[in-house]
Amino acid sequence: MSTMYDVIVVGSGPAGSCAAWRLAQAGVAVAVIEKASLPRYKTCGGGIVGRTLQALPLDMRHVVEQDCHTAQLNLPAGLSFITRRPTPIVSMTMRDQFDYALLSAAQAAGAAVHRQRAVENVSFHGDFVTLTTNGGSMKAKFVIAADGALSTVARTMGMADGRVLIPALEYEVTVPHDRLDGFQNIARFDFDLLPHGYAWAFPKRRHLSIGVLSTRQRGADLKRAMARYLDLLDCGSFTHVERHGFVIPVRPRRGPFVAKRILLVGDAAGFADPVTGEGISFAVRSGLMAAQSLIEAHLEEESARQTYASALAETILPELRRSRWLARLLYDFPRVRSFAFSQYGQRLSEAVTDVMAGTRTYRDLRFKPRTLFRLLRPN
């Protein structure tokens, strides 16, 4: 027998959990299915930027391990810039705790949670979607696909992709206490280790989350870059390390983001920030927008599709388009980047910090000279 819901959310990350919470709050019969046992580890730097905290409908302060009011940006030729804010620029957490707190809130609001349920097939029968899982069949009027960069739902449906999935490597590094103390309350970003990417060092309560990413899908030796970065940070003598690789979607799908009765959110839709690779902000926002679209449409297919498409077109998609211009400056034109930061480095750093802190958007940014950004316009 199939279990029936109004909406099934596939994936219990920030996008899925926020969508389920909003739906449950509105009295919609909603279930979350998660292929892993819970709480589950999620490969991620665990830096929750200020704009994410603003977008969250729930208070997540209890899972924050450390607030960073200072960000340090290092570039080639010895360029280094410091930005500071009275409110946290980045709040550090572990994703297993952060995600599980959001899911628990959704469950407390009335969402059903099915653990260790992996989607095997998606089919349509009249006005319902049937998900075949390893734990049996489930039916719903709508499905929200929040199952990450490698979305099984989107792949099974044959939904148009067009995303750019870039590689990243993250180490959870335990270091001596005297070394850990030197990283406290500072989010560090280094752009001088690999030509088309950056590295980061995030302080947690008892260890460091250290990572590197490349905007090139192939050819980047992330392990070598990580070894150099550990030496640069004087963390080569770590006492324990856990290594994790993952991919980040830094270009959205070609769309549409709704196929029949399935809505794509978060990484499944390709909503990570091309500048930083940070995906939680737009995961939260898209999850809430998808849920709100279903609520406002009273679970009517065409109305839900139009409402969600309009919401994305007015908010997330133009922001991602603008951020790609800045990403091209940082990663594709190293000589232009060097010139820009040698002339306007502090201003650029302050502007990006404002975006991360949530006080401005990429669309608010206005840089001179205009000829610089003419180079960055898409062909």
Side-chain angles (χ1 to χ4, degrees):
M1 295 181 62
S2 299
T3 307
M4 176 71 74
Y5 294 96
D6 290 329
V7 181
I8 294 175
V9 179
V10 182
S12 65
S17 293
C18 285
W21 175 85
R22 181 68 188 91
L23 289 164
Q25 285 277 310
V28 176
V30 57
V32 180
I33 64 174
E34 168 60 50
K35 65 182 179 181
S37 58
L38 295 169
R40 49 91 175 107
Y41 180 83
K42 169 68 175 177
T43 304
C44 174
I48 311 301
V49 296
R51 68 179 178 185
T52 304
L53 293 176
Q54 293 177 19
L56 282 169
L58 300 160
D59 184 2
M60 290 289 110
R61 297 299 309 171
H62 61 289
V63 293
V64 171
E65 295 194 357
Q66 185 172 153
D67 286 322
C68 293
H69 292 256
T70 300
Q72 179 182 356
L73 176 65
N74 301 311
L75 294 106
L79 293 174
S80 184
F81 304 95
I82 300 290
T83 61
R84 295 182 175 86
R85 295 293 183 273
T87 57
I89 300 169
V90 187
S91 295
M92 302 302 176
T93 185
M94 294 301 295
R95 282 291 303 277
D96 57 345
Q97 299 302 312
F98 178 77
D99 291 8
Y100 193 62
L102 287 175
L103 180 63
S104 298
Q107 190 171 21
V113 176
H114 299 269
R115 298 162 171 80
Q116 296 179 290
R117 288 282 188 100
V119 174
E120 297 174 345
N121 193 34
V122 182
S123 58
F124 297 88
H125 303 88
D127 293 335
F128 293 93
V129 186
T130 298
L131 297 179
T132 303
T133 78
N134 60 340
S137 295
M138 304 177 70
K139 288 186 177 181
K141 297 176 182 177
F142 288 88
V143 168
I144 294 178
D147 50 343
L150 305 179
S151 174
T152 299
V153 173
R155 186 176 67 253
T156 302
M157 286 290 299
M159 299 180 75
D161 202 330
R163 295 173 304 163
V164 175
L165 301 177
I166 63 172
L169 186 64
E170 184 208 23
Y171 288 6
E172 304 284 6
V173 182
T174 301
V175 297
H177 287 294
D178 59 334
R179 290 297 304 129
L180 183 60
D181 289 344
F183 291 87
Q184 296 301 297
N185 307 117
I186 299 174
R188 175 170 174 162
F189 306 90
D190 289 84
F191 286 81
D192 53 355
L193 281 162
L194 59 171
H196 301 286
Y198 78 93
W200 68 88
F202 289 171
K204 304 297 178 66
R205 183 177 293 124
R206 298 184 180 89
H207 73 283
L208 299 172
S209 288
I210 300 174
V212 292
L213 64 79
S214 172
T215 59
R216 292 292 188 265
Q217 293 175 284
R218 297 178 178 84
D221 192 339
L222 295 186
K223 289 184 179 179
R224 179 175 296 181
M226 178 66 86
R228 294 202 310 271
Y229 196 40
L230 290 172
D231 288 340
L232 177 68
L233 298 175
D234 193 22
C235 291
S237 59
F238 46 74
T239 58
H240 180 71
V241 62
E242 297 178 10
R243 299 171 175 85
H244 306 277
F246 59 112
V247 293
I248 303 170
V250 292
R251 185 183 293 271
R253 288 181 183 269
R254 288 190 293 270
F257 299 97
V258 182
K260 296 184 178 178
R261 292 176 172 268
I262 294 178
L263 292 76
L264 298 180
V265 297
D267 282 355
F271 291 159
D273 186 330
V275 173
T276 63
E278 187 268 325
I280 302 176
S281 298
F282 294 132
V284 168
R285 291 176 63 184
S286 62
L288 292 172
M289 284 191 290
Q292 190 62 32
S293 297
L294 293 174
I295 294 166
E296 293 179 5
H298 303 288
L299 300 178
E300 193 278 318
E301 181 179 356
E302 182 59 23
S303 178
R305 183 191 66 78
Q306 292 181 359
T307 303
Y308 186 49
S310 296
L312 292 176
E314 293 171 3
T315 55
I316 292 177
L317 294 179
E319 188 71 353
L320 291 176
R321 283 195 295 270
R322 180 58 66 89
S323 64
R324 282 203 298 275
W325 294 0
L326 185 54
R328 293 186 68 192
L329 165 67
L330 290 173
Y331 304 118
D332 295 346
F333 298 93
R335 293 178 63 183
V336 177
R337 180 186 67 189
S338 296
F339 168 76
F341 276 90
S342 67
Q343 299 296 312
Y344 311 105
Q346 191 64 42
R347 182 183 174 190
L348 282 163
S349 300
E350 297 288 351
V352 174
T353 299
D354 283 345
V355 174
M356 294 302 101
T359 58
R360 300 166 76 183
T361 69
Y362 286 119
R363 287 177 288 171
D364 294 331
L365 304 186
R366 296 290 184 271
F367 295 123
K368 294 180 180 180
R370 293 182 180 178
T371 53
L372 174 65
F373 282 87
R374 195 172 297 130
L375 294 172
L376 309 179
R377 290 175 182 167
N379 295 328

